[in-house]
Amino acid sequence: MHVAPEAQRRLDANGADAVMAERVKAEFLHGWRGYRQYAWGRDALKPLSNTGSDWYAQSLLMTPVDALDTLLVMGLTDEADAARELIATQLSFDKDLDVKHFEIVIRLLGGLLSGYQMTGDARLLALADDLGTRLLPAFDSPTGLPYVTVNLRTGKTSGTESNPAESGTLLLEYGTLARLTGKQVYWDKAWRALEATYAMRSPIGLVGERFDVETGQWTQTRTHVGARIDSYYEYLWKCWQLFAEPRCKTMWDTHIAALNTHVADEVDGALWYGHVDMATGARIAPRFGALDAFFPGLLAVSGDLDRAMRLQHSAFSMWQAHGIEPEAWDYRARTVVSPGYPLRPEIIESAWYLYRLTGDRAWRDMGRTMFDDFVRHTRTDSGFAALANVVTKEKKDDMESFVLAETFKYFYLLYADPATRDPATTVLTTEAHPLRPVAAPP
């Protein structure tokens, strides 16, 4: 990632905003301690009932694995050591569980790999290798596109309707695992899935929202930069960053040209990216949402700062309408389409990238507004609760692991010393797990 000299000077001059960084850390610790008190050893905290919950019949320690590198980034050594010991001594993947391949890759495999790279604890790499081996049968479809679920013990697969995010958001984790273990099969399987996804693009260079894993045929041809597609685009650029793989750069160049031509939408002087038909580019809906809000950051890191800044201002206007962003928003009518807020990090992630690339304190100011709103509307006695409705601010008894893995990490990085995590030397996965380049075998 290239930072212009003037932007670097501004970054250096700004340094850390120690007061905000400590505020973020204190609120993160509030959520972490709530998890430790009420849900230790479970996948997640339920922050209204003060109980624990698991994704499946048995815990996979989702929150400790997902949050370990945030603890390390924040310098919370004692808490990180406790989480690492829990993971290393209690986590086993020898379980008769049908798990969601994509979510397990980005949350657990990514978390174990970043934890290993940051601590050197070989037990974490061994767990990652064991998990990777158990997940590989997911790729055994006629097309090489992964099935949606896989059984960790038997390798049995199921789920044939998938999407580009689930087939194309795998290479950072599997590729890093391949290089750390010397097992090329991890790279080969994830790469074949990525190539198969790209090969299904339309003549104008866009992918759809859903496809059949076994036939490679589209079942939903609506396209956009949000849910079910988002991180496919993200990983094309980040694959180029992490592995210097020119084929990923070629794929990215094809798609971004198509997105800017057909999906970008100018409305009253504001830039949005809406919903269109993948084959024709015909407009379907003026819809943008919390997941789409990662795109300003991706535009920024890939070199298009003008569009990135304009789109971030649009996303922030969506946030400001009700003091927190909805899951989906009609940007022409300026009305909420889907009212939930699951504590997503994407708009904060974009603010961090824009700050890192410009050194402009305006992005920190934007972040402070969002942090104040986030705490005001979602904090509970034991953690932070998702919102069922951003208009009424009704809470849900839910605090997903990504709140501690991503949302608080990006808030913290926005105010910490810029040297805390340099995106020029570390690539953050779609779950915000920092991965460093690993040399390819000779």
Side-chain angles (χ1 to χ4, degrees):
M1 186 185 79
H2 175 69
V3 179
E6 183 56 35
Q8 187 62 56
R9 282 193 289 273
R10 287 195 291 267
L11 276 175
D12 294 341
N14 291 345
D17 182 335
V19 172
M20 275 301 297
E22 285 303 311
R23 276 190 64 201
V24 173
K25 186 186 293 189
E27 295 295 348
F28 169 86
L29 276 170
H30 172 69
W32 177 255
R33 287 168 179 161
Y35 169 78
R36 284 210 63 171
Q37 182 174 354
Y38 297 111
W40 191 242
R42 306 292 296 278
D43 279 337
L45 169 70
K46 295 171 75 69
L48 298 182
S49 59
N50 293 339
T51 57
S53 66
D54 297 321
W55 278 36
Y56 307 107
Q58 301 173 67
S59 173
L60 293 172
L61 299 183
M62 199 75 69
T63 290
V65 176
D66 222 3
L68 175 59
D69 53 42
T70 306
L71 292 164
L72 293 164
V73 165
M74 291 186 179
L76 298 169
T77 306
D78 291 345
E79 291 85 352
D81 287 347
R84 181 157 55 95
E85 283 305 307
L86 178 71
I87 295 163
T89 60
Q90 301 299 317
L91 182 57
S92 169
F93 297 116
D94 184 20
K95 299 179 188 293
D96 184 14
L97 300 176
D98 295 331
V99 301
K100 188 83 175 288
H101 175 250
F102 165 72
E103 294 289 353
I104 296 300
V105 168
I106 65 170
R107 299 195 196 209
L108 296 187
L109 185 58
L112 290 167
L113 290 169
S114 64
Y116 167 69
Q117 285 196 321
M118 294 175 74
T119 66
D121 190 332
R123 298 174 297 177
L124 301 181
L125 181 58
L127 281 166
D129 190 18
D130 178 58
L131 177 59
T133 299
R134 293 174 184 277
L135 294 175
L136 283 178
F139 294 100
D140 293 341
S141 72
T143 59
L145 296 163
Y147 288 103
V148 175
T149 63
V150 58
N151 187 284
L152 289 176
R153 181 170 290 165
T154 68
K156 182 181 178 182
T157 55
S158 60
T160 58
E161 187 175 66
S162 190
N163 56 68
E166 296 195 9
S167 62
T169 312
L170 306 168
L171 194 62
L172 297 191
E173 293 85 358
Y174 278 111
T176 297
L177 184 60
R179 293 195 173 176
L180 289 171
T181 63
K183 297 179 181 179
Q184 182 66 20
V185 64
Y186 291 133
W187 173 279
D188 292 344
K189 295 287 189 181
W191 178 258
R192 184 186 177 204
L194 183 64
E195 278 197 313
T197 307
Y198 180 68
M200 294 190 295
R201 69 194 184 281
S202 71
I204 62 173
L206 297 171
V207 296
E209 192 178 83
R210 296 185 182 91
F211 56 73
D212 185 281
V213 164
E214 295 183 330
T215 67
Q217 298 299 306
W218 293 105
T219 59
Q220 172 54 266
T221 58
R222 173 190 293 249
T223 193
H224 42 78
V225 297
R228 302 184 184 91
I229 302 174
D230 47 5
S231 49
Y232 162 65
Y233 293 133
E234 177 187 1
Y235 269 37
L236 293 178
W237 181 262
K238 289 183 175 179
C239 160
W240 164 240
Q241 278 191 297
L242 188 62
F243 301 118
E245 173 52 69
R247 293 172 293 180
C248 289
K249 177 66 160 52
T250 298
M251 294 177 189
W252 164 259
D253 289 342
T254 298
H255 283 313
I256 192 57
L259 290 167
N260 288 337
T261 299
H262 300 289
V263 181
D265 195 7
E266 296 274 353
V267 179
D268 298 329
L271 176 65
W272 298 90
Y273 284 70
H275 287 217
V276 306
D277 181 81
M278 67 174 282
T280 65
R283 295 244 164 242
I284 294 173
R287 187 169 298 175
F288 193 85
L291 282 169
D292 308 63
F294 87 103
F295 205 60
L298 184 58
L299 288 169
V301 78
S302 64
D304 194 344
L305 273 173
D306 178 64
R307 282 192 182 91
M309 291 188 286
R310 294 186 63 209
L311 186 60
Q312 180 71 356
H313 284 297
S314 296
F316 188 51
S317 75
M318 173 182 70
W319 180 288
Q320 290 178 300
H322 294 287
I324 208 149
E325 64 185 0
E327 191 74 341
W329 174 252
D330 183 321
Y331 54 78
R332 286 188 177 270
R334 294 197 62 77
T335 57
V336 172
V337 175
S338 179
Y341 175 60
L343 312 175
R344 294 203 187 279
E346 283 78 10
I347 193 172
I348 307 143
E349 171 188 1
S350 289
W352 174 62
Y353 277 117
L354 281 162
Y355 176 66
R356 285 303 306 243
L357 284 158
T358 66
D360 188 339
R361 293 181 186 177
W363 306 114
R364 278 183 164 179
D365 294 339
M366 180 184 288
R368 185 177 296 107
T369 297
M370 292 190 288
F371 187 71
D372 289 344
D373 291 340
F374 180 90
V375 173
R376 179 184 308 116
H377 296 308
T378 72
R379 198 181 199 272
T380 72
D381 289 343
S382 62
F384 298 86
L387 299 182
N389 190 306
V390 299
V391 180
T392 66
K393 307 302 188 291
E394 176 192 355
K395 292 183 173 71
K396 290 177 62 178
D397 198 10
D398 188 35
M399 188 178 89
E400 290 235 33
S401 65
F402 64 67
V403 179
L404 301 180
E406 299 182 77
T407 308
F408 276 102
K409 184 184 285 118
Y410 284 120
F411 271 132
Y412 182 73
L413 289 174
L414 185 56
Y415 301 105
D417 188 308
T420 303
R421 190 61 50 193
D422 185 352
T425 58
T426 305
V427 174
L428 276 74
T429 70
T430 198
E431 193 74 5
H433 294 307
L435 296 178
R436 298 194 307 271
V438 181

